[in-house]
Amino acid sequence: MDVAKAVTQMKISPARDAQLWLSAFEASPMRRVVLFLIGIRDLKQVNDLHGREAGNAVIAEIGRRIGLFAPSLAGAVVAARLPGREFLIVAESDARRAELEQVTRKLLASLGAPMTIQDGELHISARVGVAVSTPGQKGIDLLAAASSALASAYSRKGRKYQFGDSSSKSDPTKNASLDKGLRQALANDEIAIHFQPQFEVASGRLVGAEALARWAHPEFGEIGASELFAVADRCDLREELSFTIQRQALELAEKWPRGDVALRLSINLGAEELADDHAGKLLGLLKEIGFPREHLTVELTEESIVNDFDLALAQLQMLRSKNIRVAIDDFGTGYSSLSYLKSLPLDYLKIDKGMTADIAGSTRDRIVLRAIIALGKALGLQIIAEGVEKEGELEMLRDEGCDYFQGFLKSPPLTAAQFHEFAAQQK
């Protein structure tokens, strides 16, 4: 695939043109098509923070960048704006998977570059779902596969794109049902809180828990946090979902058993909270519920910092000034600058579970883990490892100086009632 710099701009077509093209398409061994479905994750955030005029300007700039990028794809035939916050590029191509990944990363880099809107600089977080046609596949089914891949990309940590699995059928009916039901689930308090216990590496002592969200859907069973937030992203309900989870977690944690050492609660903050006046809202919530601020940790991903560093910094400084601790979550999956670690008011660095599982493998994996722990320690941070499942992993973490861990080795996520009983039994 030719990925040379584009010198001409492809016209951005309306959704109906893309749908007409796809409705007439049927893949064959001689005609292979690749769809790049692009979603703008934080458009609602831009609208809420800067106004709808700024949101429209962002959409126009995204369209312009896609129009410039599309001609660099050999065989590009359609670039279209779809309803809501999605765009589509259609290319007739026989490129291999590695080439398509390279193109997707370049597309994301182009869309993620800072843009000047209303004399200010904005960073946009895009996601891409990629679908490659198989012989006999209809265009409408290919679009459904790309949509399913995009939904998965929204729920992924680190990598911002996902390829559709041609061997499995996407379920647009399920997605539509989940999208329709989430607002009602929030209104009816149907989102439950589970707690992932956290332990001290040296002693095995329970020190706290991370709050996790679960939705017991009447038709599809338990919906985990990743899929739940992917639904919220599609419906622009992420902020409402996050605040609901935080309120419930704080209310439950306020009733935890009181031991010799108070248990800490960890809750997650996303880009939307960090770019809004969420710090003030959270402090008000803490006062209302009566949960001690000094026993709360907020966890944020690297990506949530990058969107608007100055705003994120101000929010975190406000929280830290009130004795709330701050953790970088899933470290090792993102691509943000290490300079953020020294610039932000941090207390903890959480190692992603994917890296924890690798430490018992090659020597190189352990060297990487050792370097991350050493970096955190040099910056005065405490280290938390996620996803610890084997005794050998815990031994290595202990040898390397890790402070805390969570994972199935000691406990899976527990319901609120189970965690309360579990905590009461700890000495």
Side-chain angles (χ1 to χ4, degrees):
M1 175 177 287
D2 177 17
V3 292
K5 184 177 180 181
V7 294
T8 59
Q9 182 165 354
M10 177 175 283
K11 181 182 178 182
I12 300 296
S13 303
R16 64 177 181 274
D17 291 355
Q19 291 165 348
L20 285 172
W21 193 95
L22 288 169
S23 65
F25 171 79
E26 181 173 338
S28 70
M30 301 298 294
R31 194 182 186 203
R32 182 172 176 264
V33 162
V34 182
L35 300 190
F36 300 86
L37 184 61
I38 303 149
I40 310 305
R41 177 173 177 170
D42 40 12
L43 184 58
K44 182 177 184 295
Q45 173 189 339
V46 173
N47 286 333
D48 291 347
L49 195 61
H50 303 285
R52 189 159 296 277
E53 183 179 344
N56 291 336
V58 166
I59 291 173
E61 175 61 15
I62 292 294
R64 187 188 72 82
R65 294 184 184 189
I66 290 173
L68 286 172
F69 187 87
S72 69
L73 304 177
V77 291
V78 176
R81 161 84 190 283
L82 302 185
R85 54 184 177 180
E86 294 180 355
F87 292 81
L88 178 69
I89 300 176
V90 182
E92 295 190 12
S93 170
D94 57 0
R96 293 170 297 178
R97 170 69 174 258
E99 294 175 291
L100 294 175
E101 291 206 30
Q102 182 184 32
V103 167
T104 306
R105 288 193 293 269
K106 289 187 175 183
L107 173 59
L108 283 164
S110 173
L111 298 177
M115 58 179 67
T116 301
I117 303 294
Q118 295 180 344
D119 297 326
E121 190 175 89
L122 291 179
H123 295 259
I124 297 301
S125 179
R127 294 290 189 274
V128 180
V130 185
V132 181
S133 68
T134 55
Q137 190 174 29
K138 302 288 188 181
I140 193 67
D141 294 328
L142 185 59
L143 181 59
S147 180
S148 179
L150 178 59
S152 296
Y154 273 127
S155 63
R156 287 183 67 93
K157 297 174 180 178
R159 200 173 71 177
K160 299 180 180 181
Y161 63 90
Q162 177 69 25
F163 277 69
D165 184 357
S166 60
S167 64
S168 62
K169 296 279 188 182
S170 61
D171 192 348
T173 302
K174 177 183 177 181
N175 288 344
S177 179
L178 292 174
D179 293 353
K180 183 179 180 180
L182 180 57
R183 191 176 296 278
Q184 182 177 353
L186 288 169
N188 294 339
D189 292 328
E190 296 174 11
I191 307 301
I193 302 300
H194 289 200
F195 292 102
Q196 174 65 67
Q198 297 174 327
F199 305 90
E200 188 177 57
V201 169
S203 66
R205 175 175 59 91
L206 179 69
V207 294
E210 177 185 359
L212 307 173
R214 298 290 186 268
W215 179 14
H217 195 278
E219 182 179 356
F220 304 114
E222 184 174 274
I223 305 297
S226 293
E227 186 174 6
L228 182 56
F229 274 95
V231 176
D233 280 330
R234 292 199 300 267
C235 302
D236 286 334
L237 289 173
R238 174 173 277 264
E239 291 174 87
E240 290 87 340
L241 176 61
S242 292
F243 198 75
T244 295
I245 293 168
Q246 290 159 18
R247 171 180 283 280
Q248 290 189 48
L250 288 166
E251 289 174 343
L252 291 165
E254 196 277 329
K255 298 172 184 173
W256 282 349
R258 300 291 193 266
D260 294 337
V261 178
L263 299 177
R264 299 197 62 81
L265 170 67
S266 294
I267 60 174
N268 292 281
L269 293 186
E272 291 79 1
E273 290 97 330
L274 287 173
D276 199 358
D277 183 29
H278 191 81
K281 296 176 184 176
L282 181 57
L283 290 170
L285 197 58
L286 284 162
K287 183 177 181 181
E288 173 190 338
I289 293 171
F291 186 83
R293 295 177 306 201
E294 62 272 17
H295 297 161
L296 180 66
T297 299
V298 294
E299 299 185 4
L300 53 145
T301 62
E302 296 175 72
E303 179 193 25
S304 63
I305 302 167
V306 175
N307 283 351
D308 195 320
F309 179 78
D310 291 338
L311 280 172
L313 178 60
Q315 295 282 292
L316 296 178
Q317 286 175 332
M318 180 188 296
L319 294 175
R320 275 291 300 275
S321 71
K322 302 300 182 180
N323 298 319
I324 295 171
R325 296 185 187 175
V326 180
I328 287 283
D329 194 13
D330 302 316
F331 188 80
T333 63
Y335 307 101
S336 61
S337 170
L338 292 178
S339 65
Y340 292 140
L341 292 183
K342 68 178 183 180
S343 303
L344 290 167
L346 301 177
D347 299 282
Y348 303 103
L349 186 155
K350 292 191 74 176
I351 300 173
D352 181 69
K353 62 184 178 180
M355 301 195 70
T356 301
D358 290 337
I359 63 175
S362 70
T363 303
R364 292 171 66 91
D365 292 326
R366 187 161 182 177
I367 290 172
V368 171
L369 179 75
R370 181 180 298 142
I372 290 175
I373 293 176
L375 173 66
K377 293 290 187 179
L379 293 170
L381 308 180
Q382 293 184 297
I383 311 300
I384 306 172
E386 298 180 297
V388 179
E389 298 183 356
K390 299 176 182 178
E391 191 64 43
E393 295 170 356
L394 182 58
E395 284 295 325
M396 289 188 179
L397 289 168
R398 185 179 293 115
D399 292 343
E400 299 300 340
C402 184
D403 299 290
Y404 306 103
F405 75 97
Q406 60 189 64
F408 277 73
L409 176 64
K410 285 279 285 186
S411 175
L414 304 173
T415 66
Q418 288 171 337
F419 181 80
H420 193 282
E421 182 179 355
F422 182 79
Q425 294 172 351
Q426 302 301 304
K427 300 295 184 181

